[in-house]
Amino acid sequence: MSRSSKKGPYIYRKLLKKLALLTPGGKTVIKTWARSSEVSPEMIGHTIGIHSGKDFISVTIAEEMVGHRLGEF
């Protein structure tokens, strides 16, 4: 079952706050455990370290990833 359309997509708020402070394309990797968060257009160009249960996997967000969950990558 998908999320209600009137609620909008689930995006972890702390992750968006961290992204707002940085410039895209930088060498800073933002670590997160929020695998259920969806990729938003504000994340394009940033490198995010997604926790896989054991270690962090660095993923650079591209346009094609918008709308998918972080855990898919």
Side-chain angles (χ1 to χ4, degrees):
M1 187 182 290
S2 63
R3 186 172 165 89
S4 173
S5 61
K6 68 179 176 183
K7 288 183 183 179
Y10 172 72
I11 301 170
Y12 192 59
R13 291 182 191 216
K14 284 188 176 182
L15 184 59
L16 283 180
K17 287 180 184 177
K18 289 180 183 180
L19 288 171
L21 298 175
L22 300 174
T23 58
K27 295 186 179 189
T28 306
V29 177
I30 302 167
K31 293 183 179 181
T32 184
W33 285 262
R35 294 172 50 93
S36 62
S37 179
E38 288 189 21
V39 178
S40 67
E42 294 87 16
M43 296 180 184
I44 295 175
H46 291 285
T47 303
I48 300 176
I50 304 167
H51 196 258
S52 67
K54 185 177 180 182
D55 52 355
F56 289 93
I57 299 171
S58 295
V59 176
T60 303
I61 305 297
E63 261 186 71
E64 298 83 27
M65 297 178 179
V66 174
H68 292 275
R69 305 271 179 180
L70 287 175
E72 295 179 27
F73 308 109

